[in-house]
Amino acid sequence: MGLFSLFVTLFLILNVAVICNGGITSKFVRKVEKTIDMPLDSDVFSVPPGYNAPQQVHITQGDHDGKGVIVSWVTMDEPGSNKVLYWSEKSKDKHHARGHMVTYRFYNYTSGFIHHCTINHLEYDTKYYYVVGLGLTERQFWFTTPPKVGPDVPYTFGLIGDLGQSFDSNKTLSHYESSLSKGQTVLFVGDLCYADQYPLHDNNRWDTWGRFVERSNAYQSWIWTAGNHEIDFLPEYGETVPFKPYTNRYPVPYRASGSTAPFWYSIKRASAYIIVLASYSAYGKYTPQYKWLEEEFPKVNRTETPWLIVLMHSPWYNSYNYHYMEGETMRVMYEPWFVKYKVDVVFAGHVHAYERSERVSNIAYNIVNGVCNPVSDQSAPVYITIGDGGNLEGLATNMTEPQPKYSAYREASFGHAIFDIKNRTHAYYGWHRNQDGVATAADSMWFFNRVWYPEAEHPVSQ
Ligand SMILES: [Fe+2]
C-alpha cells in the first residue's frame, strides 16, 4: 500500500507540469548556423560512372495493397532500355517488366530520359533484386515488399518532410538511415528538392536531389505528398502548368484508389491505411478531391487495416508564426470527417520545425454559435508537423505565445520521426532531432489505436 501511494504521488507530481503548462515548448537550443545547400560537386550528388548509367533510382508503392512497385530512373546520354530485370530472393527465375519513358522541358532546361516501370503481382514480404540500365551500364538494387495486409502486422514507417538538399538535409537522411528502429518505408510529407528557390527553378537541382536520396529511395518506397515547392509555377517564363517536374519524375499509384489526379490517393501497407491529401489542389465542396475523399473514408476497413494515417503538406494545427492558419480552409472542410472516421494520426510538413498536438477537434462552430475553440476529443487525430527535414530555407523558430493548449510539444530543430506499428492496438512513435545520437527520441508517445483501443494516451489536461 505504501509503495502504491508513492507511485500515485510520483505520478501526480510528474503530471503537474503537463497540466499547468498545457504543452511543452522544448528548451533545446539548436546551434544557429546558416542552412545552405550542398554544392553541385558534393559526393552525395555524384553521377554514377559508365555510359548512360541509370541515376536517381527511386521506388514507390505501385498498387493499392503493396504487391506492386514503381521503379523510376533517369538516363542522360540516350533513352536506353525501358525494362527492369527482377527476381525474388527465393527463386532463380528472372522476370522482365516493361516501363515507359518521358522527358520534359522547363523553360531552358531539358530533362534526361525519365523511366517509370511498374512491377505488379509481387509476393508479399519478399526481397527482390532488380537491375536497370539493361544492355548498357547496368545497376542492381533490391527492395523488400511489405507483408500481406492484415490487422496485426507490425510495420515501421519513417517520416520525413521538407527535406531539400542542404548539409542539414544530409544529416537528416543519414540519421534516418542509421535509426535503430529501421524504417521500412518513408512517408514523405512534401517539399522535395527546393529547386524553385534557384533562378528559373533550376531543374538541375531536381536531378541532384534524385541522386542524393537514391541511397535510401532505391531500396525502400517513399510515399509522396505534393508540397508547395512542387508547384513550379513560372508563368512569366511560359511555365503555366503546375507540378510539371514533380509529376514527370515522381509517379504515384493514384488510379488504384479511384483518384483522378496524382495529388490525392490512398494505399494500404501492412496494417496501415494511408490517405494522401493535396493542400495545393482544389478541395472545396464538389471538387474532385472532395468527392474522392467523401467516398474514400467509408471504404477504410479498420478490421483489415486498423491504423488510419493521413498525409498532407500544410498543417491544420500549427502554433509557429510561419504559415500560420494556411491549413485552415482545408481543416474547415474536412475535419468533421477526420473525427467521424477516427483518423489515428495526421502528418504534415511545410513549417520547418517540429510539433505534436493533443487529440483535439474544432468542429462545433457554425458561424452563429461562437463555439470556435479546439476541444479535447478522443475521436480526433494527433496532428504532427514534421517539416524539419533541413532545407535551405532554415528553421522556423518563432512561435505563438503562449503555447496553445492543443500543442503538446514543439521544438525548432531539424529531424525525422518513426511510427512503429506493433499490432492493432499499439504503435510507438518517436521524433529524433539531428543533434542527438541515433537511439535518442527527443519526443515520443505510445499511440493507442482509435478503433481498437480508444483510451487517452496520457492524462488529458482539458
Ligand atoms: Fe512547404
Side-chain angles (χ1 to χ4, degrees):
M1 190 62 188
L3 197 59
F4 178 74
S5 303
L6 182 66
F7 275 128
V8 169
T9 311
L10 269 174
F11 181 78
L12 288 173
I13 290 170
L14 286 171
N15 282 290
V16 162
V18 174
I19 291 164
C20 293
N21 295 344
I24 296 167
T25 297
S26 172
K27 297 283 181 288
F28 184 90
V29 179
R30 181 181 178 273
K31 204 171 131 207
V32 178
E33 296 161 333
K34 202 164 159 37
T35 310
I36 54 169
D37 269 359
M38 295 180 283
L40 292 173
D41 60 357
S42 302
D43 57 352
V44 297
F45 298 148
S46 61
V47 175
Y51 177 74
N52 210 42
Q55 57 169 270
Q56 308 171 48
V57 180
H58 57 90
I59 63 170
T60 194
Q61 185 159 320
D63 65 357
H64 198 234
D65 51 11
K67 291 166 75 177
V69 169
I70 304 172
V71 179
S72 302
W73 69 97
V74 179
T75 53
M76 288 298 188
D77 302 311
E78 59 174 278
S81 174
N82 275 332
K83 289 182 181 172
V84 175
L85 177 69
Y86 66 98
W87 64 95
S88 156
E89 183 183 47
K90 300 172 186 167
S91 158
K92 292 213 165 32
D93 295 341
K94 297 197 172 178
H95 309 275
H96 283 97
R98 182 183 291 279
H100 68 282
M101 189 268 293
V102 295
T103 60
Y104 73 91
R105 290 182 57 81
F106 192 92
Y107 188 59
N108 61 354
Y109 167 93
T110 303
S111 74
F113 306 100
I114 305 171
H115 303 259
H116 303 298
C117 177
T118 304
I119 309 174
N120 280 312
H121 310 300
L122 297 167
E123 282 182 57
Y124 283 121
D125 206 11
T126 301
K127 184 171 181 179
Y128 285 89
Y129 295 93
Y130 70 97
V131 176
V132 289
L134 298 172
L136 292 169
T137 302
E138 299 183 348
R139 295 182 69 207
Q140 181 179 319
F141 304 87
W142 53 264
F143 58 78
T144 302
T145 50
K148 188 174 190 312
V149 171
D152 288 301
V153 182
Y155 203 74
T156 307
F157 291 101
L159 276 307
I160 299 177
D162 304 68
L163 183 58
Q165 47 194 303
S166 75
F167 290 97
D168 292 291
S169 320
N170 197 24
K171 277 186 209 156
T172 300
L173 185 56
S174 299
H175 225 79
Y176 169 66
E177 290 174 298
S178 53
S179 164
L180 302 181
S181 305
K182 295 274 171 285
Q184 296 166 281
T185 291
V186 169
L187 303 178
F188 192 90
V189 292
D191 284 358
L192 283 64
C193 70
Y194 291 76
D196 62 348
Q197 297 299 80
Y198 287 83
L200 300 170
H201 297 208
D202 182 2
N203 274 223
N204 289 299
R205 281 285 175 177
W206 278 95
D207 292 312
T208 55
W209 195 82
R211 297 199 291 271
F212 159 47
V213 300
E214 181 191 272
R215 68 189 202 229
S216 169
N217 201 182
Y219 299 92
Q220 60 173 247
S221 287
W222 287 30
I223 307 304
W224 302 110
T225 312
N228 54 305
H229 288 283
E230 279 69 74
I231 299 174
D232 281 310
F233 182 61
L234 200 58
E236 59 273 38
Y237 288 93
E239 292 301 339
T240 56
V241 179
F243 301 105
K244 190 202 270 186
Y246 174 67
T247 50
N248 275 291
R249 291 167 183 271
Y250 291 94
V252 297
Y254 65 95
R255 289 191 186 90
S257 57
S259 168
T260 50
F263 312 111
W264 60 91
Y265 65 101
S266 69
I267 57 165
K268 300 176 197 173
R269 205 159 174 93
S271 45
Y273 199 102
I274 296 157
I275 294 177
V276 178
L277 293 183
S279 299
Y280 307 101
S281 303
Y283 45 75
K285 201 162 183 178
Y286 317 116
T287 62
Q289 183 171 201
Y290 182 100
K291 287 184 167 180
W292 177 83
L293 188 59
E294 186 177 35
E295 290 177 13
E296 181 69 5
F297 270 127
K299 291 180 188 166
V300 183
N301 176 359
R302 303 294 277 276
T303 301
E304 183 189 44
T305 50
W307 294 93
L308 179 51
I309 298 170
V310 177
L311 311 180
M312 61 181 66
H313 186 62
S314 188
W316 293 356
Y317 287 93
N318 156 41
S319 71
Y320 288 82
N321 287 321
Y322 297 81
H323 306 305
Y324 190 61
M325 289 185 74
E326 283 184 18
E328 187 64 5
T329 47
M330 185 192 252
R331 183 190 69 73
V332 169
M333 293 308 301
Y334 292 159
E335 192 181 19
W337 290 342
F338 280 45
V339 176
K340 178 180 177 186
Y341 293 102
K342 297 183 165 47
V343 173
D344 289 292
V345 58
V346 176
F347 292 107
H350 202 35
V351 178
H352 301 157
Y354 174 72
E355 185 164 25
R356 172 174 57 82
S357 81
E358 305 285 357
R359 290 197 184 277
V360 291
S361 67
N362 192 1
I363 55 178
Y365 185 49
N366 70 354
I367 305 293
V368 294
N369 66 6
V371 184
C372 54
N373 286 320
V375 294
S376 178
D377 187 339
Q378 289 304 311
S379 293
V382 170
Y383 294 89
I384 291 173
T385 303
I386 185 85
D388 55 349
N391 67 76
L392 79 169
E393 291 180 342
L395 274 172
T397 52
N398 195 321
M399 305 172 189
T400 60
E401 299 291 355
Q403 185 171 12
K405 283 178 92 177
Y406 64 74
S407 172
Y409 185 97
R410 56 186 188 173
E411 179 177 322
S413 291
F414 292 133
H416 75 277
I418 297 282
F419 192 77
D420 190 5
I421 297 172
K422 305 293 187 187
N423 53 36
R424 76 181 68 192
T425 57
H426 285 69
Y428 183 73
Y429 167 80
W431 172 68
H432 301 257
R433 67 164 86 87
N434 286 355
Q435 288 74 23
D436 298 328
V438 294
T440 311
D443 179 43
S444 63
M445 76 176 262
W446 277 99
F447 272 76
F448 300 162
N449 187 272
R450 286 304 90 190
V451 169
W452 292 96
Y453 193 51
E455 306 291 323
E457 280 103 342
H458 53 83
V460 178
S461 58
Q462 292 174 327

